[in-house]
Amino acid sequence: KCLPFSSGCSTAMGADGTSDVSLSSASASSSAAPVPNFQGAVGNEESSLVENRCTLDEPVSETIMRDVRSVISKLKIVVMPGQVADRAQQLRDWDLWGPLVLCLALGVIISQQAAEGQASYAFADIFVVVWVGSAVVTANAQLLQGKVSFFQTVCALGYCIFPLVIAAFCAWLLHIDWLKVIFVGAGFAWSSRASMGFITEFVPEEKKLLGIYPVWLFYAAIAWMIILA
């Protein structure tokens, strides 16, 4: 029975003084499914909505700054490989902007030290060695049943040449041979340590040496090209 003053009810007095109680059409609509909220949420739900939102309508500046922040966060992992606990998660969010910029920077530095007429060849050599070497090391990790995708490994290897780029830049500025050897040696050791942290997390335990050896050769080849420049 519906009370006279309850929501969704209407009363009408009949000619005999009795009241007729009838359900209003609002009661039917109130029992329908609730209207979904498209205005976002709070806490964890809000962050998940932000991650899954469409970025086609966002400003170009916001897109660029998001990519820049992603590149900087990955470079921090390379600079401080032992102090980052979520390296695996960072690796899953792969991108190729950072490796491309680092490869171009290293190519420009090496080409500026090349002999006259050989700058373009030096730049091409660096570009080919970095990308073809990354592809070979990545294919090796895949053959070793590594639990990582192709582009994730290329991303990790590309970012880990950052210490070698810094070493090449410092050696280019100082023009002292024995300092160049020290800088390149330190950059090679740093790059190898940072990349091995990634590789050993995704290659099976019994195959880690087979996964690390090509990585060492990859950075050794780049370091040798910097010394010979």
Side-chain angles (χ1 to χ4, degrees), residues 141-217:
Q142 294 287 321
L143 293 175
L144 294 176
Q145 300 177 351
K147 299 178 181 179
V148 64
S149 71
F150 180 84
F151 289 108
Q152 287 172 347
T153 310
V154 172
C155 171
L157 294 173
Y159 273 104
C160 288
I161 68 171
F162 178 61
L164 285 171
V165 175
I166 299 299
F169 181 73
C170 294
W172 177 42
L173 291 179
L174 297 177
H175 294 287
I176 301 176
D177 292 339
W178 63 273
L179 278 180
K180 172 188 275 191
V181 175
I182 294 176
F183 287 147
V184 174
F188 166 71
W190 206 317
S191 295
S192 300
R193 180 174 180 268
S195 62
M196 289 176 186
F198 288 113
I199 297 299
T200 54
E201 287 186 6
F202 295 99
V203 175
E205 183 69 27
E206 65 277 6
K207 300 178 181 179
K208 283 186 178 181
L209 290 179
L210 295 176
I212 292 174
Y213 180 68
V215 175
W216 183 84
L217 288 179

Side-chain angles (χ1 to χ4, degrees), residues 10 27 37 49-50 61 89 101 132 151 164 166 209 213 221 228:
S10 62
S27 62
N37 179 16
L49 288 176
V50 171
S61 59
Q89 179 61 35
V101 172
V132 174
F151 289 108
L164 285 171
I166 299 299
L209 290 179
Y213 180 68
L228 295 180

Side-chain angles (χ1 to χ4, degrees), residues 62-101:
E62 184 177 346
T63 303
I64 294 175
M65 290 308 299
R66 186 178 65 251
D67 292 338
V68 170
R69 287 191 295 267
S70 176
V71 170
I72 293 175
S73 65
K74 291 181 176 67
L75 289 178
K76 289 181 179 178
I77 297 176
V78 175
V79 174
M80 299 178 294
Q83 300 182 10
V84 180
D86 58 343
R87 289 181 300 180
Q89 179 61 35
Q90 292 285 345
L91 178 60
R92 292 188 181 95
D93 300 331
W94 61 269
D95 69 85
L96 299 180
W97 287 112
L100 177 61
V101 172

Side-chain angles (χ1 to χ4, degrees), residues 84-149:
V84 180
D86 58 343
R87 289 181 300 180
Q89 179 61 35
Q90 292 285 345
L91 178 60
R92 292 188 181 95
D93 300 331
W94 61 269
D95 69 85
L96 299 180
W97 287 112
L100 177 61
V101 172
L102 293 174
C103 178
L104 293 176
L106 183 60
V108 170
I109 294 172
I110 297 299
S111 63
Q112 292 298 316
Q113 304 176 61
E116 185 178 356
Q118 301 294 321
S120 59
Y121 295 105
F123 182 87
D125 289 343
I126 289 293
F127 200 86
V128 170
V129 168
V130 169
W131 290 104
V132 174
S134 297
V136 171
V137 174
T138 302
N140 178 71
Q142 294 287 321
L143 293 175
L144 294 176
Q145 300 177 351
K147 299 178 181 179
V148 64
S149 71

